[in-house]
Amino acid sequence: MSKVFKKTSGNGTIALYLGKRDFVDNVDSVELVEGVVKVDPSGLNNRKVYVYLACAFRYGSDDLDVIGLTFRRDIWLHCVQVYPPTGGSEAKSPMMESLLKKVGEQGHAFSFQMPPNLPCSVSLQPGLNDSGKACGVDFEIKAYIANAPDNPDEVIQKKDTCRLMIRKIQFAPADNKAGAKADLSKQFMMSDKPVHLEASLEKEVYYHGDPITVKVQINNETNKTVKKIKISVNQLTSVVLYSSDTYVKEVCAQEFGETVNAISTFEKSFQVTPLLANNKEKRGLAVDGRLKDQDTNLASTTLSQGEKEMQGIIISYKVKVTLTVSSGGLLGGLTGRDVVVELPVTLMSPKPAEVSDITVNTTDG
């Protein structure tokens, strides 16, 4: 446990403690979410203390809530009662034991097991003039004082609550396989033979910020000239709620001046590097979820087992190789066309090394 995160309610009656705020999704299972609530019974007035963990999709800022609508949809929510205790004691992890020791006798443990088909924490980049919280998928742990866990008629005062945001994240798999390969042969007007394009990636997974190596092989059997090679990377963001919509945004593009003459071959490896720093003004671009003012990067590829449909935001990437072909002359513009292939690629962060320094962090979000 590297830190202890604490948030106290406005009336000081309850305090929420977490040993960490990042929880790793290993595709087939997710790390157990564990925490402790410190309860001062003298401030309860015969009420109870509950904790919930919610995964929600936010599709509007709080300041848009002007007609009683909630611009937030819960994808998954689970609630437990922590005080008065309801059951027997379960086996406690070292993290839980450490938290309970720190909090003392008024500490009450809780845990949540998230299902593996929940999306990861993702935000959609706001525009320059947008304000409020960004749209996206977030996870919230909230402790509150109430008479019942979910009575719609009961008004829960803000001073009776405390909450901490957490993140569900995925890291790149340890084993990196060979990258994708694609090829296409295309014939053109006034030419009886094709241009053959083959493109391949050096590996399947690339870390954020690392250059992507694309090997391009061209066999030009036509009487035309390949004038230009363009390599781009597209982010595909699928928003799956009531229906499924996919948005495509180009996050990297580079043109190369190499030409391939008629009846000739060409082979070369190119490198392109998609970076968030070059896409800061693109509204709606998906980025990895962050806590407060942390640095972030382009949203990581979503890994899933594919057995259950995942709701929320699902991220994937494709490398696109485009050849601009033209024969020149009077009909050059009419007879020239593009040859295009696409390759799936995985962009993720490597799993960080564990740290052991213990600090306490009282946070406001």
Side-chain angles (χ1 to χ4, degrees), residues 312-339:
I313 297 178
I314 302 169
I315 305 297
S316 60
Y317 290 89
K318 286 187 178 180
V319 173
K320 184 176 179 181
V321 180
T322 304
L323 306 184
T324 300
V325 181
S326 177
S327 61
L330 182 63
L331 296 177
L334 298 176
T335 60
R337 294 177 62 188
D338 290 343
V339 184

Side-chain angles (χ1 to χ4, degrees), residues 92-109:
K92 296 179 175 61
S93 68
M95 176 181 286
M96 187 75 83
E97 294 282 6
S98 179
L99 285 173
L100 287 170
K101 183 178 180 181
K102 175 176 181 55
V103 174
E105 294 182 355
Q106 292 185 324
H108 299 272

Side-chain angles (χ1 to χ4, degrees), residues 6 20 97 134 204 206 219 221 308 331:
K6 175 187 176 183
K20 61 181 182 178
E97 294 282 6
E204 181 182 38
Y206 286 86
N219 183 9
E221 299 184 70
K308 289 185 177 181
L331 296 177

Side-chain angles (χ1 to χ4, degrees), residues 1-21 34-39 99 102-104 106 110 141 143 161-166 291-292 359-365:
M1 186 168 64
S2 58
K3 289 183 179 180
V4 175
F5 298 95
K6 175 187 176 183
K7 185 64 185 295
T8 304
S9 64
N11 57 18
T13 302
I14 57 175
L16 178 61
Y17 291 79
L18 296 177
K20 61 181 182 178
R21 298 175 75 182
E34 298 178 304
V36 169
V37 179
K38 184 178 182 180
V39 180
L99 285 173
K102 175 176 181 55
V103 174
Q106 292 185 324
F110 66 86
I141 297 178
T161 69
C162 52
R163 67 188 184 98
L164 285 169
M165 306 304 293
I166 64 171
L291 302 171
K292 297 180 69 175
T359 59
V360 179
N361 184 13
T362 302
T363 181
D364 58 0

Side-chain angles (χ1 to χ4, degrees), residues 24 40 55 68 76 86 98 141 179-180 200 228-229 234 266 292 299 329 358:
V24 179
D40 178 4
C55 167
W76 180 86
T86 58
S98 179
I141 297 178
S200 59
K228 186 171 57 180
I229 300 171
N234 290 331
F266 174 87
K292 297 180 69 175
I358 298 178

Side-chain angles (χ1 to χ4, degrees), residues 222-290:
T222 71
N223 57 359
K224 304 176 184 298
T225 300
V226 177
K227 299 195 304 179
K228 186 171 57 180
I229 300 171
K230 177 182 176 181
I231 298 178
S232 56
V233 181
N234 290 331
Q235 180 190 80
L236 287 75
T237 302
S238 296
V239 179
V240 184
L241 287 173
Y242 304 103
S243 61
S244 180
D245 299 299
T246 300
Y247 306 91
V248 180
K249 290 191 178 293
E250 187 178 82
V251 295
C252 176
Q254 192 168 348
E255 293 184 353
F256 301 92
E258 279 81 356
T259 59
V260 184
N261 294 324
I263 320 298
S264 65
T265 60
F266 174 87
E267 180 176 326
K268 186 175 181 179
S269 291
F270 300 93
Q271 288 189 327
V272 291
T273 307
L275 295 170
L276 177 59
N278 299 331
N279 294 275
K280 286 287 189 180
E281 297 183 1
K282 285 188 178 177
R283 187 175 189 269
L285 185 72
V287 300
D288 276 342
R290 57 184 173 180

Side-chain angles (χ1 to χ4, degrees), residues 134-265:
C135 298
V137 173
D138 60 35
F139 292 79
E140 176 187 76
I141 297 178
K142 181 177 178 179
Y144 60 99
I145 303 170
N147 291 304
D150 54 2
N151 182 358
D153 297 326
E154 183 176 9
V155 178
I156 300 173
Q157 302 293 330
K158 188 174 182 180
K159 63 183 178 63
D160 290 331
T161 69
C162 52
R163 67 188 184 98
L164 285 169
M165 306 304 293
I166 64 171
R167 295 194 306 169
K168 176 175 173 285
I169 56 178
Q170 292 179 328
F171 293 117
D175 56 329
N176 203 346
K177 303 175 183 177
K181 179 184 292 187
D183 61 84
L184 177 69
S185 291
K186 192 166 188 178
Q187 285 189 299
F188 296 87
M189 187 186 301
M190 302 177 67
S191 179
D192 59 351
K193 290 191 176 181
V195 171
H196 182 77
L197 167 64
E198 180 179 298
S200 59
L201 300 180
E202 189 178 42
K203 52 189 178 181
E204 181 182 38
V205 180
Y206 286 86
Y207 297 152
H208 292 295
D210 287 352
I212 299 173
T213 302
V214 186
K215 184 178 180 181
V216 176
Q217 295 174 281
I218 303 169
N219 183 9
N220 183 8
E221 299 184 70
T222 71
N223 57 359
K224 304 176 184 298
T225 300
V226 177
K227 299 195 304 179
K228 186 171 57 180
I229 300 171
K230 177 182 176 181
I231 298 178
S232 56
V233 181
N234 290 331
Q235 180 190 80
L236 287 75
T237 302
S238 296
V239 179
V240 184
L241 287 173
Y242 304 103
S243 61
S244 180
D245 299 299
T246 300
Y247 306 91
V248 180
K249 290 191 178 293
E250 187 178 82
V251 295
C252 176
Q254 192 168 348
E255 293 184 353
F256 301 92
E258 279 81 356
T259 59
V260 184
N261 294 324
I263 320 298
S264 65
T265 60

